[in-house]
Amino acid sequence: MWPTEPIPPGLPDAASPFKSKPTKTNSSDSHRFNVDDGTSSVSKLHAPVQLSHLASLGVEEIHKLLESDQDTGPTLGNVTLEVYPWKEFDDKKKVFDGPPTSLNICEHTGKIFKYDRLYFGPAYEMDENNWTQGFENSALYKHILQKGIDGRNPLISNGGGVDKRKIVCKGFYRKERKAVAAKKSDKSIVYRGVQAVNDRKLSRPAGKSMPRKSSNADTSSGSCKFMFYIKCDEIGPYINLERNAGCGDHNNHPLAISSECIPVPLKLVPEEVKKTAVNVVESAASHAAGRNFLLRDNQIFIN
């Protein structure tokens, strides 16, 4: 039998190394993960957690604690751009006379701001009539994507119509999609439960093919409302801030720990580097070797 050791005074029963599950602790311990001192909107994990308590938990219980402690409330985004601010009744011809201003546009998107537009400058000049055609391959779009990754919030263009482009939070802008069942099913068909070779048992239930597995972002608590609009006029493209347009806060998901953890879109990979990686793969190497080459030689992480 295991030796019975007395529990040191002052520790709850969950601290015992011979307990498989923690027992109920006092009222102060039961609220250690939801402490609100009234001085901050972030109220989680203010009180220290006893290591002996965590040692008595299982893997699944620890994962649940980590997930419950993630702050999924509104988080200000970070997309810092060099722009030329403009407000109504100003002369547009003089917008580019001064130097550009470095702004985190998320601080002014969806909020009261003294400017109505943030122009990108002559370097990203576009045709006012058909600028939306091919926007996803333009230098401006690549510039915005890179700045979004640098700020730990990857972005993507999601429509917007013929006169604007809507930039949203990549991965979390869609609502949760429910699984779609097969439209037709013939119950008269009898499926084999074993393989044709050696009568090995099939891993598929009743021999039926199951829906393809896919990995999607968890938006069960709601989608992310982060977005801003890009428009274009006779002097160039700009971010529209009129009537508090857009939303600069991320919702219902935490931001990435580091920008290095975010996969880089292939359109942001230089052509020379991309060609070298393709040559590595085509020289009898695997796709994993090509990805590892990009990460090791060029510090580029692709999914």
Side-chain angles (χ1 to χ4, degrees):
M1 296 180 59
W2 290 99
T4 58
E5 297 181 0
I7 301 175
L11 293 180
D13 294 340
S16 172
F18 309 106
K19 297 279 186 180
S20 59
K21 294 184 178 180
T23 57
K24 184 177 180 180
T25 59
N26 54 40
S27 59
S28 61
D29 290 334
S30 62
H31 298 286
R32 61 165 53 94
F33 294 99
N34 190 18
V35 179
D36 190 357
D37 56 2
T39 61
S40 174
S41 60
V42 181
S43 60
K44 299 180 180 178
L45 211 63
H46 278 213
V49 180
Q50 295 181 2
L51 296 179
S52 56
H53 172 70
L54 294 179
S56 62
L57 300 179
V59 176
E60 294 183 0
E61 293 172 315
I62 292 178
H63 283 181
K64 290 180 180 179
L65 288 178
L66 293 174
E67 292 176 356
S68 64
D69 186 62
Q70 288 183 353
D71 185 10
T72 57
T75 304
L76 182 66
N78 182 11
V79 183
T80 303
L81 299 169
E82 300 286 334
V83 293
Y84 297 84
W86 177 87
K87 58 183 177 180
E88 193 176 5
F89 304 120
D90 286 352
D91 188 1
K92 289 185 179 181
K93 297 180 180 179
K94 298 181 179 180
V95 172
F96 303 134
D97 290 351
T101 303
S102 180
L103 289 178
N104 178 13
I105 64 172
C106 303
E107 296 178 353
H108 312 291
T109 304
K111 304 173 179 65
I112 299 177
F113 190 43
K114 61 180 179 180
Y115 294 107
D116 297 314
R117 300 178 182 179
L118 301 176
Y119 284 91
F120 286 100
Y124 302 103
E125 184 179 1
M126 293 183 175
D127 187 359
E128 179 186 5
N129 298 321
N130 58 358
W131 70 276
T132 56
Q133 300 178 6
F135 172 77
E136 283 70 19
N137 294 321
S138 64
L140 175 60
Y141 183 57
K142 295 178 182 179
H143 177 64
I144 295 174
L145 293 184
Q146 186 61 58
K147 291 299 181 180
I149 293 177
D150 295 341
R152 298 188 300 127
N153 37 205
L155 308 174
I156 191 173
S157 174
N158 183 37
V162 296
D163 61 339
K164 59 181 177 293
R165 277 293 174 265
K166 182 180 179 182
I167 307 299
V168 297
C169 176
K170 183 179 181 179
F172 293 93
Y173 71 96
R174 292 182 181 273
K175 296 182 179 179
E176 185 179 18
R177 294 181 175 180
K178 297 181 180 180
V180 181
K183 295 182 179 180
K184 297 181 180 180
S185 59
D186 190 351
K187 297 182 180 180
S188 62
I189 300 177
V190 179
Y191 295 90
R192 289 173 53 91
V194 294
Q195 294 182 6
V197 180
N198 298 332
D199 287 339
R200 293 175 57 188
K201 186 177 179 180
L202 291 174
S203 59
R204 299 178 295 183
K208 296 181 180 180
S209 60
M210 303 302 292
R212 294 182 59 185
K213 292 183 178 180
S214 60
S215 58
N216 299 321
D218 183 10
T219 56
S220 56
S221 57
S223 58
C224 182
K225 306 302 181 183
F226 178 93
M227 68 171 207
F228 60 90
Y229 290 102
I230 296 180
K231 293 185 176 182
C232 186
D233 59 9
E234 66 275 9
I235 67 173
Y238 62 89
I239 298 175
N240 182 36
L241 301 179
E242 298 176 3
R243 293 184 290 275
N244 305 333
C247 177
D249 296 328
H250 291 271
N251 311 93
N252 302 315
H253 71 93
L255 297 182
I257 298 176
S258 171
S259 59
E260 297 179 355
C261 302
I262 302 175
V264 178
L266 286 178
K267 63 178 58 182
L268 298 183
V269 179
E271 289 297 330
E272 296 182 358
V273 177
K274 191 186 303 183
K275 184 177 180 180
T276 303
V278 171
N279 292 336
V280 171
V281 174
E282 291 180 350
S283 61
S286 63
H287 289 80
R291 290 192 294 267
N292 294 338
F293 169 78
L294 288 177
L295 182 61
R296 181 178 180 85
D297 190 64
N298 298 277
Q299 288 75 48
I300 296 177
F301 169 51
I302 63 174
N303 190 353

